[in-house]
Amino acid sequence: MSPLASGPQGPTTLRPLLTTVLDALTAGAATRDGPLPAGGPTEVAARLREALGDPLPDHGDEDALRTLVQALAAGAADPADPLCTAHLHCPPLAVATAADLAASVLNPSLDSWDQAPAASELETLVTRALAAEVYGKADQAGTTGDALVTTGGTESNQLALLLAREHHGHTQLVCAENAHHSLRRATWLLGLPEPVTVPAPAGTMDPAALGEALTALQGPRGSLLVAATAGTTDAGLIDPLPDIATLCETHGARLHIDAAYGGGLLFSDRHRPKLDGLARAHTVTLDLHKLGWQPIAAGLLAVRDRHDLAPLGHHADYLNADDDTEAGLPDLLGRSLRTTRRPDILKIAVTLKTLGRTGLGALVDRVCERAAEFAELIDRHPRFELHDRPTISTVLFRPVNATDDTVAAVRRSLLTEGRAVLGRARLDDRLWLKATLLNPHTGADDLAALLKLVEGHTPR
């Protein structure tokens, strides 16, 4: 019989397997020898197919764990490599990853209390603490916030629109050109009208244009939902949240803020003021697998008033029978649209408890400092153009006098060679290279090396 990971013998069974995994990760990283496997999609796919062979053989292979972990590591983009800077793809903290292993071993499912007795209580305590980080303690009327654990910003944004629709019926989304694509997709999924889009001429929502749109739309109180952004995926920009919140209050519009990227600034005393106005939103999206250094997935949707979550309530007799609930067993089905849910809250709780606000804030400060240093390095370099000083930790730049085609080709060359992982963003009708710095161990030499690689791959 195949051994189990849980139960009294679980740790004994796992220990040698963990050694195998760690050795395979080391070997795979050595094979890759850089931030990305060389060769591009065709060669990477061929190597993986060779390692996998028949995905479902008649007879098993005891060496499969080592073989496939090593192949995956050899073919991975390593977010801990300082030259891997394309996306909001963070290197996870070791302590969070270790906690995630425990969650996998115990395998609680957060759809009923009898499957997750301790995990359900942990989720309640930690989500309310994080909601308080966004909204503060209970207000004078006794209203308190709450938060749901999600798979990330896309699910959180969809839930925010769903809650608005369920509370107010007809809901018209108003967002800026810089809004995350998941918001527009959510209107399609929920059968809502096409969003009204207002300009973002400098990469952030124009409050004057928003005011004009809200005046023109009018409608019953609460029927308009404004979605602002705190940390755009292209440039890490933050909309003018206080002005937007005031306009929403004036026009009786509901406010959602997508802070999937920027929400981590809450932990930093230095950068938290950039999120002024966040607490005035009805709902807020957070992603701790970005500026929280968690293994994916670690998303949250915070709500200012926990009563707003009532529409998510659902009854399934085998999970939350009325008599069980009346007898004191917690009802968990209203905590998500998903039924089976793993305890992603454990890794978050362990991280918060281990590092505290000060420790997490220091990591946030460090990556923001590295981004500022990189921007300064670019600005001083005669062969590069800087888009702007970073708001969070994203830096946009491009070779001087390069065409958009050249910028795109430079990025693809670095990817294909496995030398560096840079993103791309289109702002001001031009294509820019994008570096999002989320590795707190990145140093000045790493930044100089990245710039030198780009320079060396740019035709003159």
Side-chain angles (χ1 to χ4, degrees):
M1 295 292 289
S2 297
L4 301 177
S6 54
Q9 301 305 316
T12 301
T13 302
L14 274 173
R15 191 165 282 111
L17 296 176
L18 293 181
T19 298
T20 298
V21 167
L22 296 175
D23 288 346
L25 287 171
T26 301
T31 301
R32 184 183 65 246
D33 192 29
L36 196 76
T42 301
E43 289 189 30
V44 172
R47 291 194 292 266
L48 192 282
R49 285 197 298 269
E50 182 181 359
L52 177 62
D54 184 353
L56 186 59
D58 289 336
H59 302 286
D61 178 0
E62 291 185 354
D63 205 32
L65 178 64
R66 181 197 62 79
T67 300
L68 292 182
V69 171
Q70 183 171 332
L72 191 68
D78 180 7
D81 191 296
L83 301 184
C84 188
T85 65
H87 302 287
L88 291 163
H89 179 197
C90 72
L93 292 166
V95 70
T97 306
D100 216 24
L101 170 63
S104 295
V105 167
L106 296 169
N107 212 27
S109 179
L110 281 132
D111 49 321
S112 66
W113 181 87
D114 56 352
Q115 298 177 83
S120 58
E121 180 64 14
L122 183 67
E123 184 177 85
T124 297
L125 295 171
V126 176
T127 51
R128 289 186 178 177
L130 288 169
E133 194 68 22
V134 176
Y135 291 112
K137 305 298 182 183
D139 61 21
Q140 292 180 347
T143 300
T144 53
D146 202 348
L148 303 179
V149 177
T150 71
T151 54
T154 295
E155 183 185 351
S156 295
N157 287 341
Q158 290 172 356
L159 277 173
L161 265 67
L162 173 66
L163 293 176
R165 187 193 71 179
E166 293 305 295
H167 278 289
H168 302 291
H170 172 84
T171 297
Q172 174 65 64
L173 175 65
V174 182
C175 61
E177 296 167 336
N178 64 353
H180 193 263
H181 64 84
S182 62
L183 286 160
R184 294 180 177 86
R185 197 175 192 191
T187 62
W188 166 67
L189 285 168
L190 295 170
L192 298 175
E194 280 288 315
V196 172
T197 303
V198 300
T204 57
M205 183 184 288
D206 179 0
L210 174 63
E212 292 172 4
L214 293 177
T215 299
L217 290 167
Q218 295 179 342
R221 188 172 187 84
S223 64
L224 301 178
L225 172 65
V226 174
T229 306
T232 60
T233 52
D234 274 348
L237 303 177
I238 298 175
D239 286 338
L241 304 181
D243 292 343
I244 293 169
T246 297
L247 284 167
C248 288
E249 290 159 3
T250 299
H251 290 271
R254 189 177 174 96
L255 174 60
H256 170 65
I257 298 178
D258 179 358
Y261 178 13
L265 300 179
L266 286 168
F267 301 118
S268 165
D269 291 340
R270 185 186 310 174
H271 294 284
R272 186 186 180 103
K274 294 177 181 177
L275 297 179
D276 284 351
L278 194 71
R280 297 166 69 182
H282 295 79
T283 50
V284 175
T285 288
L286 303 171
D287 264 9
L288 295 183
H289 53 240
K290 294 183 173 68
L291 277 182
W293 295 278
Q294 298 299 294
I296 297 168
L300 295 137
L301 177 70
V303 295
R304 189 169 66 191
D305 183 347
R306 68 180 53 162
H307 295 105
D308 273 6
L309 299 176
L312 298 180
H314 184 68
H315 182 264
D317 196 64
Y318 77 106
L319 294 174
N320 60 347
D322 290 340
D323 57 323
D324 278 348
T325 303
E326 291 167 4
L329 295 184
D331 177 0
L332 305 183
L333 283 188
R335 303 291 300 172
S336 177
L337 290 179
R338 293 172 285 146
T339 303
T340 302
R341 290 194 297 118
R342 74 189 305 273
D344 287 316
I345 200 65
L346 177 60
K347 61 196 174 193
I348 297 172
V350 167
T351 300
L352 298 177
K353 192 73 173 175
T354 302
L355 274 71
R357 184 182 288 102
T358 301
L360 274 171
L363 295 180
V364 172
D365 291 346
R366 200 170 302 160
V367 295
C368 290
E369 287 169 8
R370 293 295 89 80
E373 292 168 8
F374 190 43
E376 181 64 27
L377 188 64
I378 294 165
D379 198 40
R380 293 200 310 263
H381 199 295
R383 296 189 180 277
F384 288 100
E385 178 183 356
L386 175 69
H387 179 267
D388 205 350
R389 300 290 171 177
T391 301
I392 307 177
S393 66
T394 296
V395 181
L396 302 185
F397 66 104
R398 53 183 283 144
V400 170
N401 298 324
T403 65
D404 285 357
D405 287 344
T406 296
V407 172
V410 167
R411 173 180 176 270
R412 285 193 294 270
S413 294
L414 290 169
L415 289 176
T416 302
E417 295 174 15
R419 306 290 298 279
V421 190
L422 284 164
R424 54 186 286 166
R426 181 166 293 279
L427 270 80
D428 304 333
D429 202 29
R430 290 196 293 168
L431 189 64
W432 300 82
L433 295 171
K434 177 174 69 171
T436 302
L437 302 178
L438 292 178
N439 185 347
H441 297 291
T442 297
D445 291 345
D446 299 316
L447 301 175
L450 179 57
L451 206 55
K452 188 172 182 179
L453 271 174
V454 176
E455 183 182 11
H457 282 72
T458 304
R460 297 183 182 177

